[in-house]
Amino acid sequence: MTDDGSPPPDPGVRDAVRQALSVSFATGLYGVSFGALSTVAGLSLAQTAVLSLLMFSGGSQFALVGVVGGGGAPVSAILSASFLGVRNALYGIRLGPLLALHGWRRVLAAHLTIDESTAVATAQSTRRAARAGFWWTGVGVFVLWNAFVLAGALAGDALADPGRWGLDAAAAAAFLGLLWPRLSTREVRLVVLAAGTLALVLVPLAPPGVPVLAAAALAVVISRTPAGRRPAADDAGPGVAA
Amino acid sequence: MSDAALWVTVVVASLVSLAIKLVGQYAPEHWASSPRVVRTATLVTAALLAALVVVQTVDGGRSISVDARLPALAVAALALALRAPFLVVVVLAAATAAGLRALGWG
């Protein structure tokens, strides 16, 4: 396949762009909930905006403000967010050959490598469509997510009592929404059960933030044991939460 | 957490997150096909999210607290089972908890 020169029109590219825009809008919208939860957890407007621009990974951002809001130590918050970001490295490995980038474009692509951009890129049937899907989704989500996070942060700032508005329950639901599309295999469901139980036991016993890290450690230990069966190749497939 | 500690947390966590993404972009290609790497990343992500759901639902500050968050989470699970969009799930959960608290429970 020739990538440069004058390629013929590809109807797949148009479909990829259309998909990218709808995913960007849906994902951007739930940035409102992150922005509100972040300021309620104690981050300032500026901290919320910087976190969103620099970290740019929804799950990790929710994890960080979750631990901070629960009174966790900085180290717990940083580790929770970082562990949750490990899957982005996996996406990058998968996207590398597909995008075949160099220099600053590769660094930019790394920053835009998230669930949504990976999902749209890998769902396309041609390389040109995959690249269009990646960039349109990556840039689209980046712009809309950060804009809506700011809007949510302004709204969250204005809410005096977050519990009264059910924002604490919204945070739990957000994590469940991120987890839901990943429950596809029996092994994942078993690990989820074990991790959830461990966290429940540790909440009254351990300092804030530790139950979440202990659950991650448990998963690392389990993943070192031999699998009962061959893991399916698409186990770590990115989910589009929205 | 103090304002300075929060800034450090935000900036350090963000830089680590970007570094992890860069590792992926520059990693040798054969890592992608390693079932061990894939399995670890899959399970760690799921375990973290599961723990976050639990902590966010029952944490009462070094104790377990059963309140309006629990029925709200059940509503969220039902909405997810019915394939509701993410934002709808989150709003339904918030509305459930807010409604129950307005009625004087949890």
Side-chain angles (χ1 to χ4, degrees):
Chain A
M1 183 189 285
T2 54
D3 301 311
D4 297 310
S6 50
D10 182 349
V13 169
R14 207 185 48 213
D15 289 345
V17 172
R18 193 174 297 157
Q19 215 172 47
L21 293 178
S22 62
V23 168
S24 300
F25 191 71
T27 309
L29 263 182
Y30 78 77
V32 173
S33 57
F34 172 74
L37 291 169
S38 178
T39 48
V40 164
L43 274 75
S44 68
L45 197 71
Q47 285 162 344
T48 301
V50 168
L51 179 66
S52 239
L53 288 163
L54 270 186
M55 182 175 280
F56 188 53
S57 191
S60 297
Q61 291 176 224
F62 274 114
L64 187 136
V65 304
V67 174
V68 168
V75 172
S76 299
I78 292 166
L79 287 178
S80 298
S82 301
F83 279 126
L84 211 45
V86 166
R87 70 187 190 287
N88 290 327
L90 207 66
Y91 298 161
I93 297 171
R94 217 183 269 180
L95 289 171
L98 197 63
L99 300 173
L101 299 164
H102 302 283
W104 66 270
R105 282 193 184 83
R106 199 164 184 182
V107 175
L108 186 63
H111 192 48
L112 298 180
T113 298
I114 52 170
D115 289 340
E116 290 80 7
S117 57
T118 308
V120 173
T122 53
Q124 308 306 319
S125 49
T126 68
R127 180 178 274 213
R128 280 184 59 214
R131 289 177 179 176
F134 174 81
W135 288 111
W136 279 87
T137 310
V139 174
V141 172
F142 187 80
V143 170
L144 292 174
W145 170 259
N146 282 295
F148 280 109
V149 163
L150 204 58
L154 288 166
D157 249 356
L159 304 175
D161 176 10
R164 199 179 143 205
W165 303 95
L167 285 184
D168 48 354
F175 287 124
L176 189 65
L178 293 169
L179 174 62
W180 202 267
R182 301 174 193 280
L183 296 172
S184 54
T185 70
R186 193 180 148 79
E187 184 178 40
V188 170
R189 288 194 291 268
L190 286 173
V191 167
V192 160
L193 198 65
T197 307
L198 180 65
L200 188 65
V201 170
L202 288 180
V203 161
L205 303 175
V210 171
V212 174
L213 294 179
L218 178 70
V220 171
V221 171
I222 293 174
S223 71
R224 290 280 161 259
T225 63
R229 48 171 193 83
R230 188 181 55 82
D234 60 356
D235 269 8
V240 177
Chain B
M1 218 183 277
S2 72
D3 193 54
L6 265 177
W7 270 118
V8 171
T9 306
V10 164
V11 172
V12 171
S14 296
L15 292 180
V16 172
S17 166
L18 181 60
I20 290 168
K21 288 172 172 176
L22 285 169
V23 165
Q25 273 291 330
Y26 289 92
E29 270 178 45
H30 69 262
W31 282 17
S33 51
S34 158
R36 198 165 146 175
V37 171
V38 173
R39 185 163 170 244
T40 305
T42 305
L43 296 185
V44 168
T45 301
L48 277 164
L49 290 171
L52 285 162
V53 170
V54 169
V55 170
Q56 202 67 52
T57 305
V58 303
D59 187 18
R62 294 303 277 277
S63 67
I64 289 181
S65 161
V66 175
D67 56 31
R69 290 174 291 178
L70 201 58
L73 190 72
V75 168
L78 186 68
L80 284 164
L82 296 172
R83 297 179 175 277
F86 188 91
L87 192 69
V88 172
V89 171
V90 172
V91 169
L92 279 177
T96 303
L100 286 171
R101 284 170 184 153
L103 294 172
W105 189 81

